[in-house]
């Protein structure tokens, strides 16, 4: 008997923040800061939490660390909002292990990225995602980000997966091809969950039938990102549009270097974390950090003075 996923599909809406993984100065994971970051999100109206996605530097974490981050996150959230950890990897067996762990922990869904570096063809991508989906009962949201993975999950492949795997319920599209994004809902059905993974497309994706976003800017300005979605779902188009444009300058500066480096620099300026990344990632240039600080100040975001 096929499980009914309608209840969780109705809950997965709005701003699902991809929380960064905070490190101490010695590069160990700072689990206390992780809990504080999640509380900061929930206090500001965020509708859901994700960890160990792109913003969480998953390729810089061991599998065991990813499991521990998921455990800390779900304990902190304690059922207050949906939890959708990133469980994908370039390694199929790691993806299987992490997705099963998310199910074991009681996550509401798992976000599984198109494998990066390998560049599998469409048949291989179908087999990869179907094997993962068939091995668990947890809902799956596929994460398509061609700029990071060097491979685009075709709409027809996604549609076949959504048809063949009842627990594949949605997709996070970090895809600048807006024609592709439109065809996702045409081919997969209007009840398929479409999330934006590109900040400037959060609002446009809502207008074509998307249900929300999973965007790094929400780490810095969670309230306004959540309010944009709240306004749209309340039918207040003008407010949603205004917030879309109001957030644009912040979105732009946070992506002038590879995510999550600018976001971590900004959170450091806000006194939320030690601004530390693990190599091969590192902080942005001093010039960009100055621009980030100026932008945060312009937005009235509280900064620590150094």
């Amino acid at each position: 008997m096929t499980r009914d996923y309608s209840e969780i599909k109705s809950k997965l809406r709005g701003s699902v923040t991809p929380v960064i993984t905070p490190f101490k100065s010695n590069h160990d994971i700072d689990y206390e800061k992780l809990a504080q970051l999640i509380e900061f999100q929930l206090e500001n109206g965020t509708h859901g939490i994700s960890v160990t996605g792109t913003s969480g530097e998953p390729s810089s974490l061991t599998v065991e660390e990813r499991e521990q981050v998921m455990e800390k996150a779900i304990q902190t959230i304690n059922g207050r909002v949906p939890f959708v950890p990133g469980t994908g990897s370039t390694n199929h067996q790691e993806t299987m292990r992490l997705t099963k762990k998310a199910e074991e922990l009681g996550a509401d869904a798992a976000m599984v990225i198109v494998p990066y570096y390998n560049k599998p063809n469409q048949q291989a991508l179908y087999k990869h995602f179907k094997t993962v989906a068939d091995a668990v009962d947890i809902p799956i949201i596929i994460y398509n980000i061609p700029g990071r993975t060097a491979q685009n999950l075709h709409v027809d492949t996604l549609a076949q997966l959504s048809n063949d795997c009842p627990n594949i319920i949605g997709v996070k599209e970090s895809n600048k091809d807006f024609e592709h994004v439109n065809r996702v809902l045409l081919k997969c059905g209007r009840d398929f969950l479409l999330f934006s993974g590109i900040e400037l497309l959060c609002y446009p994706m809502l207008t074509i039938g998307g249900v929300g976003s999973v965007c790094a800017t929400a780490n810095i300005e969670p309230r306004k990102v959540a309010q944009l979605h709240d306004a749209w779902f309340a039918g207040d188009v003008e407010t949603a549009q205004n917030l879309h444009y109001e957030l644009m300058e912040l979105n732009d500066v946070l992506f002038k270097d590879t995510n999550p480096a600018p976001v971590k620099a900004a959170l450091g300026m806000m006194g939320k974390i030690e601004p530390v990344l693990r190599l091969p990632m590192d902080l942005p240039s001093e010039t960009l950090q100055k621009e980030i600080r100026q932008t945060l100040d312009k937005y009235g975001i509280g900064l620590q003075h150094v």
Side-chain angles (χ1 to χ4, degrees), residues 66-76 101 105:
R66 292 182 66 173
E67 291 177 334
Q68 290 160 10
V69 168
M70 286 194 288
E71 288 183 32
K72 183 63 175 181
I74 200 165
Q75 290 168 4
T76 304
K101 182 66 174 181
L105 291 171

Side-chain angles (χ1 to χ4, degrees), residues 76-126:
T76 304
I77 296 163
N78 194 27
R80 288 177 285 176
V81 297
F83 176 51
V84 188
T87 61
S89 166
T90 192
N91 181 290
H92 177 75
Q93 291 303 320
E94 287 182 2
T95 301
M96 293 281 283
R97 171 176 166 174
L98 289 164
T99 307
K100 289 178 179 179
K101 182 66 174 181
E103 179 179 35
E104 174 191 322
L105 291 171
D108 295 280
M111 191 170 296
V112 184
I113 195 169
V114 170
Y116 38 93
Y117 181 76
N118 295 332
K119 292 187 69 174
N121 61 33
Q122 296 300 304
Q123 178 180 320
L125 287 173
Y126 174 85

Side-chain angles (χ1 to χ4, degrees), residues 148 176 198-200 216-217 220 247-266 269 281-296 298-299:
R148 291 266 193 168
K176 293 184 177 181
I198 295 181
E199 274 67 9
L200 293 187
T217 299
I220 308 304
L247 285 163
M248 196 172 291
E249 186 176 350
L250 180 60
N251 290 334
D252 285 346
V253 78
L254 292 177
F255 283 85
K256 288 191 174 182
D257 197 355
T258 304
N259 180 48
V263 170
K264 281 198 156 182
M269 295 171 195
M281 299 292 289
D282 200 3
L283 289 170
S285 68
E286 290 296 328
T287 300
L288 180 52
Q289 288 192 52
K290 181 179 180 181
E291 185 178 352
I292 292 169
R293 179 175 286 276
Q294 290 171 341
T295 304
L296 296 180
K298 183 176 180 179
Y299 275 77

Side-chain angles (χ1 to χ4, degrees), residues 265 268-271 273 275 286 289-290 293 303-306:
M269 295 171 195
M270 295 164 65
I273 64 167
E286 290 296 328
Q289 288 192 52
K290 181 179 180 181
R293 179 175 286 276
L303 303 178
Q304 282 197 341
H305 295 285
V306 294

Side-chain angles (χ1 to χ4, degrees), residues 30 43 79 87 120 181 212 267:
D30 192 331
E43 290 164 4
T87 61
V181 172
L267 286 168

Side-chain angles (χ1 to χ4, degrees), residues 24-262:
K24 300 176 182 178
S25 57
N26 66 357
H27 295 89
D28 287 346
I29 296 173
D30 192 331
Y31 292 101
E32 182 179 349
K33 290 292 186 185
L34 176 64
Q36 291 172 6
L37 290 173
I38 291 171
E39 291 295 346
F40 171 63
Q41 289 296 319
L42 300 183
E43 290 164 4
N44 283 280
T46 289
H47 305 107
I49 297 291
S50 181
V51 295
T52 62
T54 301
S55 299
E57 296 173 76
S59 60
S60 297
L61 305 177
T62 66
V63 175
E64 291 76 17
E65 285 177 326
R66 292 182 66 173
E67 291 177 334
Q68 290 160 10
V69 168
M70 286 194 288
E71 288 183 32
K72 183 63 175 181
I74 200 165
Q75 290 168 4
T76 304
I77 296 163
N78 194 27
R80 288 177 285 176
V81 297
F83 176 51
V84 188
T87 61
S89 166
T90 192
N91 181 290
H92 177 75
Q93 291 303 320
E94 287 182 2
T95 301
M96 293 281 283
R97 171 176 166 174
L98 289 164
T99 307
K100 289 178 179 179
K101 182 66 174 181
E103 179 179 35
E104 174 191 322
L105 291 171
D108 295 280
M111 191 170 296
V112 184
I113 195 169
V114 170
Y116 38 93
Y117 181 76
N118 295 332
K119 292 187 69 174
N121 61 33
Q122 296 300 304
Q123 178 180 320
L125 287 173
Y126 174 85
K127 289 181 178 178
H128 170 70
F129 285 113
K130 187 173 190 305
T131 302
V132 174
D134 286 348
V136 296
D137 197 25
I138 190 173
I140 302 291
I141 296 173
I142 291 176
Y143 179 13
N144 190 30
I145 179 168
R148 291 266 193 168
T149 63
Q151 182 62 287
N152 185 36
L153 182 66
H154 294 177
V155 173
D156 287 343
T157 307
L158 180 60
Q160 185 179 357
L161 284 164
S162 69
N163 181 68
D164 296 346
C165 306
N167 58 332
I168 294 181
I169 63 170
V171 65
K172 173 186 174 182
E173 283 285 356
S174 295
N175 198 324
K176 293 184 177 181
D177 182 351
F178 207 59
E179 290 185 18
H180 168 105
V181 172
N182 277 266
R183 292 191 175 98
V184 166
L185 293 182
L186 177 67
K187 293 290 186 73
C188 297
R190 299 281 293 279
D191 64 340
F192 197 66
L193 303 185
L194 173 64
F195 290 89
S196 174
I198 295 181
E199 274 67 9
L200 293 187
L201 295 184
C202 290
Y203 174 73
M205 281 201 199
L206 290 172
T207 68
I208 65 167
V211 297
S213 67
V214 187
C215 290
T217 299
N219 278 282
I220 308 304
E221 188 66 286
R223 185 172 297 279
K224 286 184 178 178
V225 176
Q227 287 174 340
L228 185 158
H229 293 82
D230 290 336
W232 173 258
F233 291 128
D236 187 352
V237 174
E238 182 178 4
T239 296
Q241 286 180 342
N242 288 343
L243 285 164
H244 167 68
Y245 287 105
E246 184 179 338
L247 285 163
M248 196 172 291
E249 186 176 350
L250 180 60
N251 290 334
D252 285 346
V253 78
L254 292 177
F255 283 85
K256 288 191 174 182
D257 197 355
T258 304
N259 180 48

